Amino acid sequence: MSVGEMASGAKLTVPVYCFKAKDNSGPNVYIQANMHGAEVQGNAVIFQLLELLKHCSLKANITLVPYANPVACNHKNGEYTLGRFDPITGVNWNRMYHFDESVIEPFAAQNIDANEGEIKERFEQLLLEEVDKKLEHNIWGLTTGQRIAYQLQRLAHQADIVLDLHTGPISSKHLYCPEYVKESAEYFNIEHTIFIPNEFDGAMDEATFCPWWSLQQAFQAQGRNVVMGQGAFKKESFTVELGSQEQIDLDVAKEDAQSILAYLHYQEVIADEQFQPDKMTRYACYLKDYKALYSPMGGMVDYLAAFGQPLAAGEPLARILRMDNYGDGEALHYVALEQPVIPILHFASASVNQGTELYKVFCNYFEL
Amino acid sequence: MSVGEMASGAKLTVPVYCFKAKDNSGPNVYIQANMHGAEVQGNAVIFQLLELLKHCSLKANITLVPYANPVACNHKNGEYTLGRFDPITGVNWNRMYHFDESVIEPFAAQNIDANEGEIKERFEQLLLEEVDKKLEHNIWGLTTGQRIAYQLQRLAHQADIVLDLHTGPISSKHLYCPEYVKESAEYFNIEHTIFIPNEFDGAMDEATFCPWWSLQQAFQAQGRNVVMGQGAFKKESFTVELGSQEQIDLDVAKEDAQSILAYLHYQEVIADEQFQPDKMTRYACYLKDYKALYSPMGGMVDYLAAFGQPLAAGEPLARILRMDNYGDGEALHYVALEQPVIPILHFASASVNQGTELYKVFCNYFEL
Amino acid sequence: MSVGEMASGAKLTVPVYCFKAKDNSGPNVYIQANMHGAEVQGNAVIFQLLELLKHCSLKANITLVPYANPVACNHKNGEYTLGRFDPITGVNWNRMYHFDESVIEPFAAQNIDANEGEIKERFEQLLLEEVDKKLEHNIWGLTTGQRIAYQLQRLAHQADIVLDLHTGPISSKHLYCPEYVKESAEYFNIEHTIFIPNEFDGAMDEATFCPWWSLQQAFQAQGRNVVMGQGAFKKESFTVELGSQEQIDLDVAKEDAQSILAYLHYQEVIADEQFQPDKMTRYACYLKDYKALYSPMGGMVDYLAAFGQPLAAGEPLARILRMDNYGDGEALHYVALEQPVIPILHFASASVNQGTELYKVFCNYFEL
Amino acid sequence: MSVGEMASGAKLTVPVYCFKAKDNSGPNVYIQANMHGAEVQGNAVIFQLLELLKHCSLKANITLVPYANPVACNHKNGEYTLGRFDPITGVNWNRMYHFDESVIEPFAAQNIDANEGEIKERFEQLLLEEVDKKLEHNIWGLTTGQRIAYQLQRLAHQADIVLDLHTGPISSKHLYCPEYVKESAEYFNIEHTIFIPNEFDGAMDEATFCPWWSLQQAFQAQGRNVVMGQGAFKKESFTVELGSQEQIDLDVAKEDAQSILAYLHYQEVIADEQFQPDKMTRYACYLKDYKALYSPMGGMVDYLAAFGQPLAAGEPLARILRMDNYGDGEALHYVALEQPVIPILHFASASVNQGTELYKVFCNYFEL
């Protein structure tokens, strides 16, 4: 799949792997990786999924796309890969998907009496047409990121289950899960889950479930009850954060592939009983309680707090070294919070400016 | 004014210059430059303003802030200065100002019977308090850009006229002007004006006028008529685009300073008659008609269209060289539009990816 | 020609265009462009050469390579293209060519009695073998830049005349010419020439002529006189600086192509009489007198000196704005030299740190 | 100590900490850190040294300089800090120190009969004058990096023992040690040492010992025997590689500070017996056997080889994932060497181009 051209004319393509089930009874699946340039581990997970799926009995189709954003994954910036945004515009690569909410209400009104099979078929069709209109020739053109995002979105809209594989900077594993399918979070081997509401901010996961969730709400407002996550509305979409960026570990990738297969077995995408989730304590919080902590000063940071463990109020997350202050007794500054949190990820470098995001943490967390 | 700290602890400060009028009868003025790192010409304009204002008779206070964003203006990226966004997060430095619309309606309700003097005083106070609350100690901290933006916004909220000096990449001069004071655009020596509506997107100009415009609309909805741009609502805010980035030209800066003084004379900020706008054909369009054209292909661009002149439909804006195609007769690809436009700016480099913004143009333009 | 692979596996190739002469009596020619990423105008010159050469009568073979370094020419760094070095290592892309001086003396000793035809054939063969050895499988591998440089060098070693098309940052046209063929400089339409000695520093031009020049000197030391630039030693190699980086101008490129054809006509590569050099005052200096001026302070620079014109001692090259000093009478600092110079190029940005290269100038210049 | 100015005029300073011994009988010491922007751990080691030295009994003066290069340590490039070179020129910050070999022979001739005390005093004086001449006003100016390097070099030339604290990208600890003081390597708690010859390449360690080593050789050539590392020639200089870049760990820093104090106790700089080197197997190789392995292909790298342990010939160092090749059986490519090596460091990112440096390894290593 051709997604872009560079200044020399070099074409950038994305490999697409498809498994077709003989009897396609389960929900279809779309999995992509590496939309952000530095977040490469998902490619290794797709490698291990391809290896494992060869031996599985499939009950639904699975499409897998590694290197989803070759512009980003080839963009070295010094030794590192530029992570999260178009280096020319600054726009986050994962904020460019399309959803025009204004199509929802008219569709609901027109299909208020349709059966669920008709709704599913027609609404999928509508979503594809919306994206196709964007991709059609347009005198003003598309941005680099839109051209990539819309092509990936075409694939995602044809699936019922979507997994977008990301990583944090330096990070524990965690999962973004829509609030209406909380129970699904327990089938991944991931200890931390963030439950997200029906608010579209341009990301792949939201672009997949927000239209259906909004449709369900529009039906409800018009007096028809359908249940999100069931029947025609069986649409699940997750951002799976696999750990730290800038790293490939094929052994860990195999474990993550098995975790994904445990979820797919639960969803009856594969029939292979051996893929079962591990027993573990799983913590969750709501998106509004997933908070960023910004550095109160410039300096060099010794990150202290272990990921994934509850940290008591007042315990230090980090200490910041300020050698220019040495001798005034203030060369070390401790950073703590006044409430218990679970640290999930921290910044990729020890050197921070005043205002750099230091940590992201769960507040008001609870066990699943 | 201290706005940030770097990793070594080095403090970044912003110089603030104030002229105080003996009898402060006119509207107070705030002018800043270089919020975007590469957009340096505004500093030279402030230099020339300082030189010229020494000899002016002031009727209002003027505050001038060059190097408004020292984090950005010191951030070299190779030979160039990183232009428009925080290099760590990708967020545009000029999208971080604060406006919480939810304060408007309650304020309007509470002050429905206040006189304009009271409204002006109380609402200015409210806006300052809103920003101060953001700047107060906060356990989660502020981003690097917010800390800078909010401090500048404190200064801007104390003025009635705000000029934010920017530049385009490679660009003609142009002006962003709120729709309610179209006539003011004719007092600058700038041939191209974009009229902008009351929609807050985080920029300095919007952060200054949107609260007042929204308040005027809220009063109107509650049955009280006040006129935007007059009396207590005499608030004008412009983004002044001075030409191309990465350049200092002190002679051109003097002309731009004189252009600004012509506007300030019109506004009765200075009494000096010699500052009068030039006669020129001025074009304008609405923000919705100020369009970006994205490159249909990767390649190397020969930008052909002259800035500022109407370009007939079908006339080429650019030709794109693709040496990898030479021999197939397609080494040169012409880019044209199907409608007349005025080209205002183009991309800073000849090398573009597919989807890079090539030009920004006025459509549906008209003479002022 | 495949020269590299990116992280996604995307292959980077270089287009190679060859004109074969029916009777190949003249010296063979190799022309490349865009070894430095931002220096794109040479591609446009090659485009115009291809267009013009279609109608020429050739007396020798010509090989043309645009986009010589696709790694660099696709490497956007913000809006701009990273200019001169490998973004991972910092090594200048034009300092990676190969020349091992230790092969010269043994070759001279072994061929002290060979005729010039034999010398030419055998030494070309030796140089190719040297490069081939580098390109052969090697357990330690090659750097990204070496892999590109050595493949280009293979093409250059097969030619007698080599033109490496570059640009300065913001620059007038100028030519690097080896000292032994000063007269050739008068056949290009380029007003400024730098004469360079026999010192190898890794650049393409040097990699082409230094081996032959060193061989000539080794023969001389061993008592055999051959003349550099004549007979078997007719080897000429130039770095042609076409003006400023980050720009494509196809009209100017046509003039530059005609200038190159004037030189090739002089060299009897083409028979077409219409290509003749323009009459102009040509200035030159020796490499040791081509000096860089580093900024005495951080600040924002208004570059004043016009390119290409002699500038009297004491006349300002630039003035540096320092708004943080305003009020102390030192906001403007003038930079001048105590000797007459010809300014050739200046830095690409107005924003400089203390120690940034401001200008490069000819000292002790003379007319050709 | 002021070392530079940025575009806004912001001054960059370096903190200098000095401990003065009451009776200064031992060799004086100079320690600096963070010449490369991302190599921050040395700052933490200097912090711990300052804390420990408070309680030590000093027999010589010690000068410590953290943040030696504030231009580099404040230069964020995306999330990371640009590591090793001036972002404008590409020149390695640790290749800009000064040594003009031409002063050696005349000095040796003039001082052939001087006693060692005179030699030490006069030669130190000469080296300081050489650097001072560079720092004096010069019409052409200095580069950003030279201005920093020369000021640091002034401090280093006044010491007898110089430690330059660096880190690798992702790396084990290792030590660069001049060949003439091999025994000193056994007093640091560092398992891997590279012995370096008397070849000046611009680095701080070389800039410190090469002049003296060259002087010793010049005396020898002139018939006078002095011994390098003894008497007036007791000059030792090391580059201490503390592990990985972009990390601060104050606990590990304390161990490294103790390791340095063990060496300083051995050198009789401090009298405190408790600082003794640990027992460990120490490996070493010569600089010519410290080899870089470049990636044979673009791809994503799973680094397999553990640092610091001998790796048998044929054992894989890394496997490279190439998802674009999946299905052709070549998605994984193993990288191995045909000889036993000790891996010391690897590249900072999993994403590599063809030709990126993958690993650096000891060949022909031996136990100390």
Side-chain angles (χ1 to χ4, degrees), chain B residues 17 43 50-51 54 67 76 79-80 245-246 248 250-251 300 302 319 323 326 347 349-351, chain C residues 17 43 50-51 54 67 76 79-80 245-246 248 250-251 300 302 319 323 326 347 349-351:
Chain B
Y17 299 97
N43 299 314
L50 290 173
E51 294 288 295
K54 281 183 202 167
Y67 305 154
K76 301 302 290 185
E79 297 163 81
Y80 299 93
Q245 67 193 18
E246 296 283 9
I248 288 283
L250 282 154
D251 298 331
M300 297 190 177
D302 186 359
R319 45 189 172 184
M323 287 306 295
Y326 191 86
F347 189 56
S349 160
S351 295
Chain C
Y17 298 98
N43 300 313
L50 290 173
E51 293 288 295
K54 281 182 202 167
Y67 306 153
K76 300 303 290 185
E79 297 163 80
Y80 298 93
Q245 68 193 18
E246 295 284 11
I248 287 284
L250 282 153
D251 298 331
M300 297 191 177
D302 186 358
R319 48 189 170 184
M323 286 307 294
Y326 191 87
F347 189 56
S349 162
S351 295

Side-chain angles (χ1 to χ4, degrees), chain C residues 175 177-179 181-182 185 193-197 284-287 366 368:
Chain C
L175 183 73
C177 172
E179 291 177 4
V181 285
K182 285 180 185 162
T193 299
I194 300 141
F195 291 127
I196 54 178
C285 76
Y286 288 93
L287 185 61
F366 46 89
L368 284 191

Side-chain angles (χ1 to χ4, degrees), chain A residues 249-311:
Chain A
D249 186 317
L250 283 153
D251 297 331
V252 172
K254 188 163 186 182
E255 295 167 20
D256 288 324
Q258 287 164 335
S259 154
I260 288 170
L261 291 179
Y263 166 73
L264 294 183
H265 173 258
Y266 159 67
Q267 290 292 5
E268 301 187 10
V269 176
I270 59 171
D272 308 75
E273 297 286 336
Q274 73 268 35
F275 297 108
Q276 298 292 341
D278 293 347
K279 287 217 189 311
M280 55 174 65
T281 306
R282 288 180 171 80
Y283 293 99
C285 77
Y286 288 93
L287 185 60
K288 69 177 175 49
D289 292 322
Y290 185 43
K291 305 272 280 179
L293 172 67
Y294 299 100
S295 184
M297 63 201 317
M300 298 193 176
V301 183
D302 186 359
Y303 298 95
L304 296 172
F307 291 142
Q309 305 302 319
L311 184 78

Side-chain angles (χ1 to χ4, degrees), chain D residues 157-222:
Chain D
H157 276 327
Q158 298 172 61
D160 305 303
I161 291 174
V162 171
L163 302 180
D164 192 13
L165 307 184
H166 283 250
T167 78
I170 296 180
S171 176
S172 63
K173 293 178 193 174
H174 53 290
L175 184 73
Y176 287 87
C177 172
E179 290 177 5
Y180 62 83
V181 285
K182 285 180 185 161
E183 61 285 1
S184 288
E186 294 176 50
Y187 290 85
F188 292 91
N189 292 333
I190 295 181
E191 287 172 318
H192 309 97
T193 299
I194 301 141
F195 291 128
I196 53 177
N198 185 19
E199 282 168 21
F200 180 67
D201 194 31
M204 170 53 100
D205 54 358
E206 300 158 354
T208 309
F209 66 68
C210 284
W212 294 89
W213 202 345
S214 299
L215 180 61
Q216 178 256 337
Q217 291 170 336
F219 273 133
Q220 199 154 32
Q222 295 177 22

Side-chain angles (χ1 to χ4, degrees), chain B residues 49 52-53 56 163 184 186-190 254-270 272-278 282:
Chain B
L49 282 169
L52 290 167
L53 283 168
C56 288
L163 301 180
S184 288
E186 295 176 50
Y187 291 86
F188 292 91
N189 291 334
I190 295 181
K254 187 163 185 183
E255 295 167 20
D256 289 323
Q258 287 163 334
S259 153
I260 287 171
L261 292 179
Y263 166 73
L264 294 184
H265 173 259
Y266 158 68
Q267 290 293 4
E268 302 187 9
V269 176
I270 58 171
D272 308 75
E273 297 287 337
Q274 73 267 38
F275 297 108
Q276 297 292 341
D278 294 347
R282 288 180 170 80

Side-chain angles (χ1 to χ4, degrees), chain A residues 178-219:
Chain A
E179 291 177 4
Y180 63 83
V181 285
K182 286 180 184 163
E183 60 286 0
S184 288
E186 295 177 49
Y187 290 86
F188 293 91
N189 292 333
I190 294 180
E191 287 172 316
H192 310 97
T193 299
I194 301 140
F195 292 127
I196 54 177
N198 186 18
E199 282 168 21
F200 181 67
D201 193 32
M204 169 54 100
D205 54 357
E206 299 159 353
T208 310
F209 67 67
C210 284
W212 294 89
W213 202 345
S214 299
L215 180 61
Q216 178 256 338
Q217 291 171 335
F219 273 134

